[in-house]
């Protein structure tokens, strides 16, 4: 571990930032200040560390924005990608199949909490969400029911950045100017409201006749700042959907693949959604892959004569990409072989007790919210515009731990194979960074 401050003395980093800003447009980033905010420019990765162009190592405590599960350059995943390269990198799934993608769907089928599932693959979580919106809509129209056209979603919801996904999403993140493009959605409260499930259940009862589907992020609303709820509330909402014959879409793009301590958060909530969206961790964070998973009941509603309007006329060029499928299949096997979920639960318990100590009597911390290894540490700036979240994370990066905030919520999302020493290091660095920035 070299001193991260060396980067400021070095010109390699600055040169790469200049070249970067000259041609690359970064998402969710104001490019006019991109360089000033000292981005790290990654050259390589190793285990749970990223190494920048100056050779400085950073502990990746955000799982490369919530996608990395086992680490970077995992030998078995590297080998799976190489072996698939010797067969084929990609072939279309539109009207044709690919052996490795079939094997992946077969391996996932008994592991997902969806009954008799079929997998419609895509490349990003937002695309999986978009597919789920259209599937839920057409599910009803295929049965001649044309008034089930609305969706119920939650306050604080985030489902991706495409137009359908931002319609179901609750806004914020500077996206309010897109309001004229958003379709109208019924909005129940988010997990920050203890009564959210009661209200959602009442709304489902009142609006069932016009609802195509309800979409939720089970257990954790991630992007809004790690709002959490209890499994029983989620279960109650799922029960209401079943009782009133409304489809339930579980967006497990963030919570899926072990983050909350089970392979899927739906398992803890004892729910079996009609449609589920997965993404982020599906390939261990290696390659762009996502999927919309339909239960048998939903899937069957699309069966009909060849070329008929019953068909789902939707499909992405890189759906079911063979390289991604090979890595995803090996990743699912490794998850069991490495007993990843046991580590997630042990490290989550350790992290919980360390963070309790840290927050005890600390006036800079408003609340700590945690489910498994998804954590939000909400800071309490005494006034607006102090950008504490951003500054605390920058201070952590200077200490060699890569963090990224959501407003004034510092997100901790360690890679699932993280060690006890790394958890201690993350909390130690967070404590030092909060002390540095938030001292009164
Ligand atoms: C990240 C995320 C998405 C969008 O996934 P992308 O791959 O970034 O398009 C959708 N839903 C949830 C809950 C997410 O956290």
């Amino acid at each position: 571990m070299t001193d991260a401050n060396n980067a400021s003395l070095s010109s390699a980093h600055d040169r790469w930032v200049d070249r970067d800003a000259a041609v690359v447009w970064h998402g969710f980033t104001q490019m006019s200040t991109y360089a000033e905010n000292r981005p790290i420019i990654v050259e390589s990765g190793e285990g749970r560390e990223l190494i920048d162009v100056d050779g400085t190592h950073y502990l990746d405590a955000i799982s490369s924005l919530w996608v990395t599960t086992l680490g970077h350059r995992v030998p078995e995943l590297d080998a799976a990608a190489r072996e698939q390269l010797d067969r084929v990198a990609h072939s279309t799934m539109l009207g044709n199949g690919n052996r490795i993608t079939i094997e992946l769907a077969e391996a996932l089928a008994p592991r997902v909490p969806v009954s008799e599932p079929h997998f419609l693959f895509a490349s990003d979580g937002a695309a999986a969400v978009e597919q789920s919106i259209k599937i839920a809509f057409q599910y009803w129209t295929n049965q001649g029911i044309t008034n089930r056209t609305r969706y119920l979603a939650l306050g604080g919801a985030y489902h991706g950045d495409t137009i359908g996904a931002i319609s179901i999403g609750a806004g914020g993140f500077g996206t309010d100017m897109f309001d004229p493009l958003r379709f109208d959605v019924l909005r129940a409260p988010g997990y920050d409201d203890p009564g959210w499930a009661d209200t959602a259940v009442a709304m489902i009862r009142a609006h069932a006749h016009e609802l195509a589907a309800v979409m939720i992020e089970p257990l954790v609303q991630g992007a809004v700042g790690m709002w959490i709820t209890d499994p029983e509330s989620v279960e109650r909402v799922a029960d209401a959907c079943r009782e009133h014959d409304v489809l339930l879409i579980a967006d497990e793009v963030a919570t899926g693949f072990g983050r909350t301590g089970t392979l899927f958060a739906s398992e803890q909530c004892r729910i079996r959604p009609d449609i589920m969206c997965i993404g982020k961790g599906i390939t261990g964070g290696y390659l762009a892959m996502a999927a919309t998973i339909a239960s048998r009941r939903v899937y069957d509603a699309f069966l009909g004569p060849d070329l008929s309007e019953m068909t789902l006329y939707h499909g992405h060029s890189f759906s079911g990409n063979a390289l991604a499928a090979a890595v995803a299949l090996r990743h699912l096997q490794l998850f069991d072989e490495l007993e990843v979920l046991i580590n997630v639960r042990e490290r989550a318990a350790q992290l919980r007790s360390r963070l309790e100590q840290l927050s005890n009597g600390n006036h800079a911390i408003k609340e700590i919210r945690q489910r498994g290894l998804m954590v939000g540490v909400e800071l309490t700036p005494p006034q607006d515009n102090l950008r504490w979240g951003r500054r605390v994370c920058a201070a952590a990066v200077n200490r060699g731990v890569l963090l990224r905030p959501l407003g004034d919520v510092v997100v901790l999302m360690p890679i699932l194979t993280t060690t006890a020493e790394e958890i201690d290091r993350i909390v130690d660095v967070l404590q030092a960074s909060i002390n540095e920035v938030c001292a009164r």
Side-chain angles (χ1 to χ4, degrees):
M1 167 65 222
T2 52
D3 182 0
N5 291 317
N6 284 347
S8 60
L9 307 173
S10 158
S11 54
H13 170 268
D14 295 346
R15 270 200 317 277
W16 279 106
V17 172
D18 287 346
R19 287 172 64 174
D20 184 345
V23 286
V24 181
W25 190 346
H26 293 264
F28 281 104
T29 303
Q30 175 45 253
M31 293 307 298
S32 74
T33 56
Y34 170 67
E36 289 159 35
N37 284 316
R38 290 211 50 81
I40 72 164
I41 307 292
V42 173
E43 167 123 18
S44 60
E46 187 74 66
R48 285 166 298 280
E49 292 192 333
L50 292 169
I51 302 158
D52 77 2
V53 286
D54 288 323
T56 305
H57 289 233
Y58 298 88
L59 185 62
D60 183 356
I62 50 168
S63 296
S64 286
L65 225 68
W66 317 0
V67 300
T68 310
T69 57
L70 307 180
H72 301 286
R73 288 182 59 207
V74 177
E76 294 90 338
L77 297 184
D78 293 0
R82 287 197 190 98
E83 280 165 28
Q84 185 60 36
L85 270 177
D86 287 335
R87 297 195 184 92
V88 65
H90 179 71
S91 69
T92 185
M93 295 287 286
L94 308 189
N96 296 285
N98 188 299
R99 177 181 158 170
I100 193 74
T101 313
I102 298 166
E103 289 176 343
L104 171 62
E106 284 176 345
L108 282 169
R111 308 299 299 274
V112 296
V114 177
S115 301
E116 299 180 67
H118 278 82
F119 295 80
L120 179 65
F121 289 101
S123 305
D124 292 281
V129 165
E130 212 68 38
Q131 292 181 158
S132 76
I133 296 168
K134 290 174 72 178
I135 290 170
F137 186 92
Q138 192 177 341
Y139 168 80
W140 297 106
T141 59
N142 274 2
Q143 301 173 72
I145 300 164
T146 53
N147 55 345
R148 296 278 207 141
T149 58
R150 300 187 75 189
Y151 300 83
L152 186 143
L154 305 185
Y158 177 79
H159 298 289
D161 296 328
T162 53
I163 297 295
I166 66 168
S167 297
I168 304 280
F173 305 106
T175 68
D176 291 347
M177 88 288 271
F178 292 116
D179 282 355
L181 301 184
R182 290 183 154 106
F183 57 78
D184 175 49
V185 164
L186 284 164
R187 187 76 57 194
Y191 297 163
D192 62 329
D193 179 342
W196 78 270
D198 291 333
T199 309
V201 167
M203 290 175 76
I204 291 165
R205 193 179 301 132
H207 293 276
H209 62 282
E210 56 173 344
L211 279 176
V214 170
M215 192 180 305
I216 56 167
E217 299 160 77
L219 277 190
V220 185
Q221 293 187 293
V224 73
M226 300 295 152
W227 291 355
I228 58 177
T229 189
D230 55 291
E232 293 74 27
S233 295
V234 177
E235 190 180 11
R236 261 191 308 128
V237 170
D239 287 347
C241 288
R242 194 168 346 97
E243 191 182 327
H244 297 283
D245 198 25
V246 174
L247 294 177
L248 176 66
I249 305 173
D251 178 354
E252 291 233 28
V253 171
T255 50
F257 295 95
R259 296 272 165 210
T260 68
T262 46
L263 193 58
F264 297 101
S266 292
E267 297 166 35
Q268 289 171 64
C269 307
R270 296 186 303 185
I271 63 170
R272 292 185 77 75
D274 302 291
I275 303 173
M276 190 162 109
C277 304
I278 57 175
K280 290 198 168 99
I282 185 172
T283 64
Y286 264 53
L287 287 152
M289 177 175 252
T292 311
I293 311 169
S295 67
R296 177 67 179 271
R297 166 189 174 208
V298 170
Y299 173 79
D300 278 354
F302 289 76
L303 302 178
D306 199 9
L307 301 177
S308 76
E309 288 190 357
M310 305 282 278
T311 311
L312 178 69
Y313 286 107
H314 183 109
H316 293 281
S317 303
F318 285 99
S319 171
N321 175 261
L323 266 187
V327 173
L329 178 60
R330 190 73 188 97
H331 173 249
L332 193 63
Q333 295 161 350
L334 276 180
F335 226 81
D336 297 334
E337 289 168 26
L338 301 176
E339 301 190 317
V340 173
L341 292 175
I342 293 174
N343 190 61
V344 170
R345 290 180 206 136
E346 288 176 1
R347 298 287 74 76
Q350 176 196 358
L351 186 54
R352 182 179 298 278
S353 73
R354 285 286 331 253
L355 288 173
E356 270 165 18
Q357 290 162 22
L358 169 66
S359 65
N360 211 337
N362 191 327
H363 298 296
I365 297 175
K366 181 175 176 192
E367 189 176 50
I368 293 180
R369 298 183 289 269
Q370 179 182 2
R371 284 278 180 266
L373 286 178
M374 298 180 83
V375 185
V377 177
E378 181 159 1
L379 305 170
T380 40
Q383 65 207 60
D384 287 347
N385 298 322
L386 293 180
R387 304 197 315 161
W388 269 13
R390 176 91 75 91
R391 285 163 56 208
V392 165
C393 290
V397 171
N398 272 331
R399 291 170 170 82
V401 172
L402 183 60
L403 293 177
R404 194 183 147 86
L406 292 162
D408 279 322
V409 178
V410 177
V411 172
L412 307 181
M413 190 88 73
I415 289 172
L416 304 183
T417 54
T418 195
T419 63
E421 294 71 34
E422 288 163 349
I423 293 290
D424 281 335
R425 177 156 171 238
I426 290 168
V427 178
D428 290 345
V429 163
L430 176 63
Q431 182 156 25
S433 303
I434 289 175
N435 290 347
E436 178 189 314
V437 173
C438 311
R440 307 244 173 108

